[in-house]
Amino acid sequence: MRERRHEADFSPPRGLTNAHVQTLLPRLLPRPPLAREVEVLELPDGDFVELNWASPQPADPEAPVFVLFHGLEGSFDSPYARWLLSAASRLGWRAVLMHFRGCGSQPNRLPRAYHSGDTADAYWLFGQLAHRFPKALKVAAGVSLGGNMLLKLVAEQGGDGLDLAGAIVISAPLDLAASADRLNQGFSRVYERHLVRALKRKVRDKLVRGALPLPLDAGGLDSLSSLRAYDDVVTAPLHGFEGAEDYYQRASAGPLLGDVELPTLILHADDDPFMPASLYERLPAPSPAVHLEIARHGGHVGFMEWRNRRLEPWLARRISRELASWSSPAIPWPGRAGPHLTRSGS
């Protein structure tokens, strides 16, 4: 594994190397203003997801398309979403974020939610984009939960199963069980409590109305204090898993690292407080199509650097460089195993 790791060029400012400082800093800084157009995308099962398109969109139907998947309880307003969508838009890409079910402005219709291995909605979206923009190059990025989902989808579909040129995976919990355990330790419990409160708040109304097929009442929901407990009695049964352990085992993308055929960039920080140390040492070796960059510091989706006399997100700079390499054939991509073409040949 070590020979396939590459050192990320992220360097945190002096005094801001702490993993928790890096994780929390983005929430304290202003986010770039970004107009959006909201679209409701109907799904085959009668539910829907909301798409947020960065506005204005390019007039050229062949403009490259950047698709972003957010993390657990994330949204268009998450700091990383604003930065990455803005960066792609500035480069002339058609940038869109897919809200997972229930994460947009309206509750989803069906008695279910979303989870880390829920690839069907993203697969449907890529099919729709292939129909709308058949000649446009397309690259997708997933952050945290969205990164695990994207990597799982890419691994399962093979190199030509999606109209997608490449994937970018950021701070993804590729071993869900180990990440759930890590979040239940030390200061990371702060993040866990925040996530669990948000998850419980979202399902409470449906649960009280009897709209969820769960043997759980409001009191039982309130008693859940860990992510593993929530996944065991809410996430797992809602989505056909036997329990949290079954869910974590079947939804984790880590075991599929060696199966990835699509050019994929993975960005990770060794000090990510959402994951165990040396996460990639416990996972299978990635395939040659994967370019893995690991930084010593950065926290969870943090990566804040001092640039232009102010704190700025290294992720936006790194992703901008990545997208430029895709849209300009003259710039080599380090992990590309073959021609970076979509299935349409663009």
Side-chain angles (χ1 to χ4, degrees), residues 299-319:
H300 185 68
V301 202
F303 300 102
M304 299 303 300
E305 65 179 357
W306 186 256
R307 196 172 183 81
N308 299 321
R309 299 184 179 181
R310 61 185 180 186
L311 286 172
E312 291 189 347
W314 172 82
L315 279 176
R317 183 166 66 88
R318 180 64 186 89
I319 298 310

Side-chain angles (χ1 to χ4, degrees):
M1 164 65 81
R2 289 188 180 277
E3 66 275 12
R4 296 191 180 178
R5 291 176 51 144
H6 302 270
E7 185 176 351
D9 66 357
F10 168 69
S11 180
R14 184 178 300 177
L16 298 179
T17 59
N18 180 272
H20 302 298
V21 171
Q22 280 287 328
T23 300
L24 295 171
L25 260 179
R27 295 179 173 274
L28 305 177
L29 299 176
R31 300 161 201 189
L34 184 63
R36 59 177 159 174
E37 299 173 14
V38 179
E39 175 190 353
V40 173
L41 178 66
E42 297 289 339
L43 301 172
D45 63 1
D47 215 337
F48 70 95
V49 292
E50 288 185 11
L51 307 180
N52 278 212
W53 298 88
S55 181
Q57 297 184 42
D60 184 357
E62 296 187 17
V65 179
F66 174 68
V67 184
L68 180 62
F69 300 101
H70 61 77
L72 184 62
E73 292 302 283
S75 72
F76 178 85
D77 290 324
S78 297
Y80 59 80
R82 291 285 192 90
W83 287 325
L84 298 184
L85 293 170
S86 295
S89 186
R90 285 195 299 270
L91 290 173
W93 287 59
R94 191 183 310 276
V96 60
L97 176 138
M98 187 194 89
H99 281 120
F100 290 104
R101 301 193 192 204
C103 291
S105 61
Q106 299 294 325
N108 64 301
R109 301 178 189 130
L110 298 184
R112 53 153 298 171
Y114 67 100
H115 61 82
S116 296
D118 194 1
T119 59
D121 296 349
Y123 181 81
W124 178 257
L125 171 61
F126 288 133
Q128 297 299 303
L129 295 177
H131 177 71
R132 297 184 195 181
F133 310 107
K135 295 185 178 181
L137 180 142
K138 303 170 186 73
V139 172
V143 177
S144 196
L145 173 149
N148 181 84
M149 183 283 299
L150 178 60
L151 187 68
K152 185 171 184 290
L153 175 62
V154 164
E156 291 172 344
Q157 291 300 315
D160 61 356
L162 299 166
D163 181 16
L164 198 61
I168 303 169
V169 175
I170 302 167
S171 299
L174 302 185
D175 183 335
L176 294 171
S179 293
D181 292 341
R182 178 66 182 88
L183 279 169
N184 199 237
Q185 300 171 4
F187 188 84
S188 293
R189 286 280 290 139
V190 172
Y191 312 124
E192 181 180 48
R193 285 194 292 268
H194 170 75
L195 292 171
V196 172
R197 278 197 302 267
L199 288 165
K200 292 193 294 188
R201 185 167 57 247
K202 182 167 291 183
V203 303
R204 175 179 293 278
D205 287 345
K206 287 186 177 181
L207 187 67
V208 171
R209 289 188 283 107
L212 296 178
L214 296 173
L216 185 71
D217 58 18
L221 181 68
D222 290 341
S223 70
L224 302 177
S225 60
S226 70
L227 187 60
R228 182 180 284 271
Y230 180 89
D231 286 337
D232 197 48
V233 300
V234 179
T235 307
L238 273 184
H239 302 102
F241 299 102
E242 294 181 3
E245 205 58 44
D246 180 46
Y247 161 47
Y248 294 154
Q249 181 177 355
R250 291 165 57 188
S252 292
L256 304 177
L257 270 171
D259 301 330
V260 176
E261 298 177 11
L262 190 77
T264 298
L265 169 68
I266 298 180
L267 303 176
H268 176 73
D270 256 342
D271 66 353
D272 192 318
F274 282 48
M275 300 168 219
S278 302
L279 171 66
Y280 285 87
E281 297 297 333
R282 56 200 297 162
L283 295 174
S287 77
V290 174
H291 184 78
L292 173 62
E293 292 187 7
I294 299 181
R296 181 180 178 186
H297 303 288
H300 185 68
V301 202
F303 300 102
M304 299 303 300
E305 65 179 357
W306 186 256
R307 196 172 183 81
N308 299 321
R309 299 184 179 181
R310 61 185 180 186
L311 286 172
E312 291 189 347
W314 172 82
L315 279 176
R317 183 166 66 88
R318 180 64 186 89
I319 298 310
S320 293
R321 191 165 80 242
E322 192 68 14
L323 295 183
S325 78
W326 282 109
S327 56
S328 175
I331 302 177
W333 187 84
R336 187 171 293 128
H340 60 292
L341 303 177
T342 62
R343 293 177 66 194
S344 63
S346 57

